Amino acid sequence: LAKTTQPISMDSYEGQEVNITCSHNNIATNDYITWYQQFPSQGPRFIIQGYKTKVTNEVASLFIPADRKSSTLSLPRVSLSDTAVYYCLVGEGPGQTGANNLFFGTGTRLTVIP
Amino acid sequence: DADVTQTPRNRITKTGKRIMLECSQTKGHDRMYWYRQDPGLGLRLIYYSFDVKDINKGEISDGYSVSRQAQAKFSLSLESAIPNQTALYFCATSEGNQETQYFGPGTRLLVL
């Protein structure tokens, strides 16, 4: 089971780009990397998923180096509404039967400051 | 209407009581999950089900049981509640293992 390590918390000012790095040294060949966002008293919400190199959607970018032992979630120009906890998960790819992607760590608490 | 619903949203109960938390989904997903969240500990998996006839223990299943009554329904039971089961409980669904998980609004449980 690929465990992940993230910073416990981060602060950023509004309008800045925020990069949250996740370490996953034991990532397996079939593992994907998925990030979720959670607001207080709400369930987590999917942000982005990737396997290698770079993935970008309307919310964020995900950078994965060639060795895949880490990944970086990039949030461009954060606003106060981006204050949340961000979770990095690593697990088997689509179609697999295991449940290795079902373990959330403690996440990174991002606080955006006015 | 929400795709994943949980009832009740809040519950206060006493030690030793049996309690059931219910989860329903309209997404047509085969996979359903129950998590608990405690302050500072993130989410921990209690049980998960890949289809109606499948039940699997997660990271912290002791003291809990589940029932998958139908594709759309997955219930979590505390047979004899204890105070350290006070937590926020989330149900989630997904179409496949690495597919996006969709979470319900959560049930806040207080065991006195």
Side-chain angles (χ1 to χ4, degrees):
Chain A
L1 174 62
K3 295 292 187 182
T4 61
T5 303
Q6 305 174 232
I8 294 175
S9 64
M10 296 179 67
D11 294 338
S12 176
Y13 288 101
E14 271 190 297
Q16 291 188 329
E17 179 184 73
V18 171
N19 296 307
I20 305 174
T21 297
C22 179
S23 296
H24 28 80
N25 292 319
N26 296 324
I27 190 168
T29 301
N30 292 332
D31 285 347
Y32 278 66
I33 301 156
T34 309
W35 286 80
Y36 284 82
Q37 174 192 57
Q38 185 182 25
F39 297 113
S41 298
Q42 295 184 27
R45 182 181 69 168
F46 172 87
I47 300 176
I48 197 165
Q49 183 182 82
Y51 182 79
K52 62 180 180 180
T53 62
K54 177 183 176 182
V55 179
T56 298
N57 61 23
E58 65 278 7
V59 177
S61 294
L62 179 59
F63 298 92
I64 305 168
D67 66 5
R68 302 199 329 120
K69 293 183 182 299
S70 67
S71 58
T72 299
L73 174 72
S74 181
L75 305 173
R77 298 180 298 282
V78 294
S79 64
L80 297 177
S81 63
D82 292 316
T83 293
V85 178
Y86 293 83
Y87 297 95
C88 166
L89 281 72
V90 172
E92 293 180 340
Q96 301 302 314
T97 57
N100 289 339
N101 68 320
L102 304 180
F103 293 90
F104 288 73
T106 56
T108 297
R109 183 174 300 277
L110 172 66
T111 301
V112 179
I113 305 166
Chain B
D1 289 340
D3 293 321
V4 184
T5 58
Q6 293 182 234
T7 56
R9 293 295 312 279
N10 295 280
R11 180 73 181 266
I12 301 174
T13 191
K14 296 182 179 180
T15 297
K17 294 292 187 181
R18 183 179 188 275
I19 183 170
M20 178 182 288
L21 309 183
E22 300 189 9
C23 177
S24 295
Q25 52 115 346
T26 59
K27 301 190 73 65
H29 290 166
D30 285 328
R31 302 186 177 208
M32 298 187 73
Y33 316 88
W34 275 104
Y35 294 87
R36 69 175 276 175
Q37 185 169 35
D38 300 275
L41 293 181
L43 280 80
R44 292 184 290 169
L45 182 65
I46 305 172
Y47 271 96
Y48 60 99
S49 169
F50 285 170
D51 64 41
V52 175
K53 298 181 180 179
D54 178 75
I55 299 292
N56 303 283
K57 293 183 177 181
E59 187 182 359
I60 52 164
S61 59
D62 288 348
Y64 301 94
S65 62
V66 291
S67 173
R68 185 78 185 269
Q69 303 95 320
Q71 185 199 42
K73 296 185 181 297
F74 192 35
S75 300
L76 176 72
S77 293
L78 287 67
E79 296 301 326
S80 180
I82 56 177
N84 76 0
Q85 291 178 312
T86 292
L88 184 56
Y89 290 85
F90 288 105
C91 173
T93 76
S94 72
E95 188 168 1
N97 188 43
Q98 193 58 227
E99 300 297 331
T100 299
Q101 291 188 44
Y102 295 87
F103 284 80
T107 294
R108 192 171 296 278
L109 176 65
L110 172 61
V111 183
L112 301 175

